[in-house]
Amino acid sequence: MRKAFFASVHGRVQGVGFRYSCKIQADKLGITGWVRNMPDGSVELYAEGDETALSSFREWLYRGPSFARVDRVIASYCEPEGCFDEFYVRFL
C-alpha cells in the first residue's frame, strides 16, 4: 500500500547537497515525488512510496547528508497523488 508525506526541513540544508542527496536516497528506496529549496532557507519535499521505504526516508531526513545540519523536520502524511514516476529535484 502506497503512502505519502509532505515535509519541510530546517537548518543548514541549502548549499550542502541536500536536494541531490535526497534524490539519491529516494531512488535507493523506490520513492517518488520531489524536493526543492525554499526562499526562507528550508527545503520542502513530497515523498510517496510504501510504508517501510517512507519510514526509512523520513529517518534519513533528520540526518541529511554529511555537510547538512538538520534542526527540525515538520512532516505530515497525506493521500498519495500517484502522478510521479521518479523523484525529482525542482527549482523555484
Side-chain angles (χ1 to χ4, degrees), residues 1-4 29-32 48-56:
M1 184 167 152
R2 290 184 70 78
K3 295 196 173 211
L29 294 167
I31 290 171
T32 60
E48 188 174 306
D50 71 52
E51 189 171 0
T52 303
L54 280 182
S55 178
S56 295

Side-chain angles (χ1 to χ4, degrees), residues 34-52:
W34 53 264
V35 61
R36 67 181 171 195
N37 284 344
M38 297 304 292
D40 67 358
S42 67
V43 169
E44 73 175 13
L45 61 99
Y46 170 82
E48 188 174 306
D50 71 52
E51 189 171 0
T52 303

Side-chain angles (χ1 to χ4, degrees), residues 8-48:
S8 179
V9 184
H10 301 264
R12 190 177 67 225
V13 293
Q14 290 190 17
V16 294
F18 195 95
R19 290 174 301 159
Y20 292 99
S21 294
C22 201
K23 178 175 175 30
I24 290 167
Q25 278 299 122
D27 289 347
K28 283 181 188 176
L29 294 167
I31 290 171
T32 60
W34 53 264
V35 61
R36 67 181 171 195
N37 284 344
M38 297 304 292
D40 67 358
S42 67
V43 169
E44 73 175 13
L45 61 99
Y46 170 82
E48 188 174 306

Side-chain angles (χ1 to χ4, degrees), residues 75-90:
S76 59
Y77 282 90
C78 55
E79 287 296 316
E81 295 176 14
C83 61
F84 299 101
D85 57 355
E86 65 179 275
F87 196 85
Y88 298 92
V89 175
R90 288 189 171 174

